[in-house]
């Protein structure tokens, strides 16, 4: 006996499911081929200042009340100068100070000034509740040009224990990058900023010696 052949067609829902599975497999394969490489870890930096020995003439106590900074330069990211007229700044992704810039500069200032001083002592409100003098720093510029130099500019106000302003001056300092090759990277800018800030604080220490 001869039986007629029977053609069995898959249901429409089955075909649709197979299509979705095939499309998903193709998408996963393409994603695997075009996956982005893992993001490089962030790099964190510190300042290393060096100033010449300074004598103030007496064992005065100078309290740094605060370091004031505003805008993009007050964060943790390293900042480059990208243009002038007007001056333009840009953060560097993935390269940061290990603490916010105002705290970084405050710590660097106290460490450098105390290391260089032969008599006067510098501190904060924690260690000096009743100082002979109080100092405030307002940092106006703290950045570098990747193919030029690092620039630092800050305003310093010194007040005696009677509340009288005995000094109010602005200081500017710069230092050329010693290595401008791409391989040097932001580390060259950090070194130049350390040099520029060292020069600025050295000038400040000489001015303080004349007022204390």
């Amino acid at each position: 006996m001869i039986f007629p052949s029977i053609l069995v067609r898959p249901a429409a829902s089955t075909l649709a499911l197979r299509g979705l599975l095939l499309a998903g497999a193709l998408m996963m394969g393409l994603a695997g081929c075009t996956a982005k490489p893992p993001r490089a870890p962030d790099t964190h930096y510190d300042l290393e200042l060096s100033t010449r020995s300074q004598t103030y003439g007496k064992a005065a106590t100078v309290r740094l009340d605060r370091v004031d900074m505003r805008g993009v330069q007050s964060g943790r990211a390293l900042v480059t100068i990208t243009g002038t007229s007007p001056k333009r700044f840009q953060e560097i992704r993935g390269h940061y100070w290990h603490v916010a810039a105002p705290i970084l500069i405050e710590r660097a200032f106290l460490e450098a000034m105390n290391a260089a001083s032969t008599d006067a002592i510098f501190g904060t409100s924690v260690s000096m509740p009743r100082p002979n003098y109080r100092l405030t720093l307002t940092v106006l510029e703290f950045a570098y040009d990747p193919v030029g130099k690092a620039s630092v500019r800050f305003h310093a106000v010194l007040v005696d224990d009677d509340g009288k302003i005995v000094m109010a001056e602005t200081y500017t300092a710069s230092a050329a990058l010693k290595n401008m090759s791409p391989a040097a990277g932001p580390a060259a800018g950090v070194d130049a900023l350390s040099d520029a800030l060292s020069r600025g604080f050295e000038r400040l220490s000489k001015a303080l010696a004349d007022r204390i």
Side-chain angles (χ1 to χ4, degrees), residues 57-73:
K58 59 182 177 180
T61 53
V62 182
R63 186 176 75 194
L64 179 60
D65 278 348
R66 69 179 183 277
V67 175
D68 187 23
M69 295 181 73
R70 304 295 173 90
V72 68
Q73 298 177 93

Side-chain angles (χ1 to χ4, degrees), residues 74-95:
S74 65
R76 289 185 57 214
L78 268 63
V79 176
T80 59
I81 300 171
T82 58
T84 58
S85 300
K87 184 166 284 188
R88 297 182 294 278
F89 302 98
Q90 181 175 310
E91 294 180 326
I92 305 179
R93 293 182 179 179
H95 294 272

Side-chain angles (χ1 to χ4, degrees), residues 56 72 193:
Y56 295 88
V72 68
L193 281 169

